[in-house]
Amino acid sequence: MGPLSDRTGRRPVILGSLLIFAALTAATALALGATVFIVMRIATGIAASGVVPISLVLIGDVFPFAERGRALGWLFGGMAGGIAVGSTAGALAEPVLGWNGLFLVSGLSILLVGALAAFLLPRPHRAPTVVPWTEVATGYQRLLANVRGARTYSYVLLNAVLHSGIYTWLGVYLVQRFDLGVIGVGLALLGYGVPGFLFGPVIGRLADKHGRARIIPLGMLTAAACAFVLAVDPPLPVVVAAIAILSLGYDMTQPLFGGIVTDFPGSTGQAVGLMAFALFLGFGTGSLIFQTILGAGFPLALGVFGGGALLAAALALPLFRSERPH
């Protein structure tokens, strides 16, 4: 999607992805079995991959690096707020609409978002750097060979593994520990994303002003603390607070990586696309790793991931010490 957006402009890729995303989401309501459902979700995920990453690329085109953190804070804050509202709204609406109805309504909603985006997005323009198709693979190799690129992409992968491993299994955690139903789980997860919605732009502004060298380690330390709190079986109000603060740890890391990769030389589309690849590879891997440890119980799995986040926070101090304001 990145190299394609370099040639056609960001707007056509985002709008095209939204259109296919809407159609496939609505069509998923017709899935007759688990296999078809999973295949449809994979296809929908591929279609949606041109929305957020290319929106991030567009911010890199429009805003100078010194002002990019605040803009990315709004982008990721909107995503966080959408996750918080969507997960809870889905849980509340499912008894009325059914899961099929949720997918139909979501598809229509995505289509309306696409119509709004058609009026709001800037008109097509060519990217500053367009890599020939024959050199796309070489462009990715150059990004990984660069010291700043290698450490950032590796840390994006690690960050995704740690956060996804914990978040993916929170619903099961809430059901097993507190015997919550679908609506209860949805309400308990409502806090995940609220801090990003409220403080994302503030975190981005701090990154613009003071750099990312200290914010990234602090974000990982926040995630580690939340994992350790969840591991000791606290009461439900403490769990709900820990889930909300866990999302704040993500908001202090991933949006900042987005700002870093848009500053790499070469194609911004390729740089952001490679970050999205590492991010979602980490999401899936983290979920599977947590599942493997989960056989020994939630306290051990959460403790292991908390320890991993603590180690990652220590590693971030030397790795990102040069990420200061230009």
Side-chain angles (χ1 to χ4, degrees), residues 233-321:
D233 292 341
L236 184 58
V238 176
V239 169
V240 172
I243 290 173
I245 298 172
L246 176 67
S247 74
L248 182 62
Y250 182 80
D251 299 322
M252 296 171 70
T253 51
Q254 186 54 43
L256 277 61
F257 298 138
I260 293 172
V261 300
T262 58
D263 194 43
F264 290 167
S267 164
T268 307
Q270 282 197 266
V272 173
L274 187 56
M275 183 192 73
F277 173 80
L279 179 68
F280 282 89
L281 179 64
F283 282 163
T285 304
S287 174
L288 293 174
I289 293 174
F290 196 95
Q291 181 186 28
T292 301
I293 306 173
L294 191 55
F298 270 105
L300 178 62
L302 289 165
V304 169
F305 270 67
L310 194 61
L311 178 60
L315 290 173
L317 287 170
L319 285 177
F320 295 100
R321 63 175 178 268

Side-chain angles (χ1 to χ4, degrees), residues 53-90:
I54 306 306
S55 298
L56 197 156
V57 175
L58 180 60
I59 287 176
D61 293 341
V62 174
F63 290 88
F65 185 74
E67 302 174 9
R68 209 166 287 166
R70 181 183 58 173
L72 291 173
W74 281 109
L75 174 66
F76 281 89
M79 290 169 55
I83 290 171
V85 173
S87 60
T88 303

Side-chain angles (χ1 to χ4, degrees), residues 18-36:
L18 281 169
L19 181 61
I20 303 173
F21 181 25
L24 291 177
T25 298
T28 303
L30 304 176
L32 298 178
T35 301
V36 176

Side-chain angles (χ1 to χ4, degrees), residues 45-175:
I46 293 172
S49 65
V51 181
V52 173
I54 306 306
S55 298
L56 197 156
V57 175
L58 180 60
I59 287 176
D61 293 341
V62 174
F63 290 88
F65 185 74
E67 302 174 9
R68 209 166 287 166
R70 181 183 58 173
L72 291 173
W74 281 109
L75 174 66
F76 281 89
M79 290 169 55
I83 290 171
V85 173
S87 60
T88 303
L92 295 174
E94 193 276 337
V96 178
L97 300 176
W99 72 266
N100 311 72
L102 283 180
F103 276 91
L104 288 172
V105 171
S106 295
L108 177 60
S109 301
I110 297 165
L111 190 62
L112 293 175
V113 169
L116 180 62
F119 289 98
L120 297 179
L121 288 174
R123 292 294 168 183
H125 65 282
R126 286 176 62 86
T129 303
V130 179
V131 179
W133 283 114
T134 55
E135 297 181 16
V136 166
T138 305
Y140 287 125
Q141 291 174 359
R142 283 196 295 266
L143 287 167
L144 292 172
N146 179 276
V147 174
R148 191 183 183 201
R151 77 182 179 217
T152 302
Y153 291 124
S154 299
Y155 207 92
V156 166
L157 179 66
L158 176 62
N159 188 47
V161 166
L162 294 170
H163 274 278
S164 174
I166 298 170
Y167 179 75
T168 303
W169 293 94
L170 286 176
V172 178
Y173 174 89
L174 290 166
V175 170

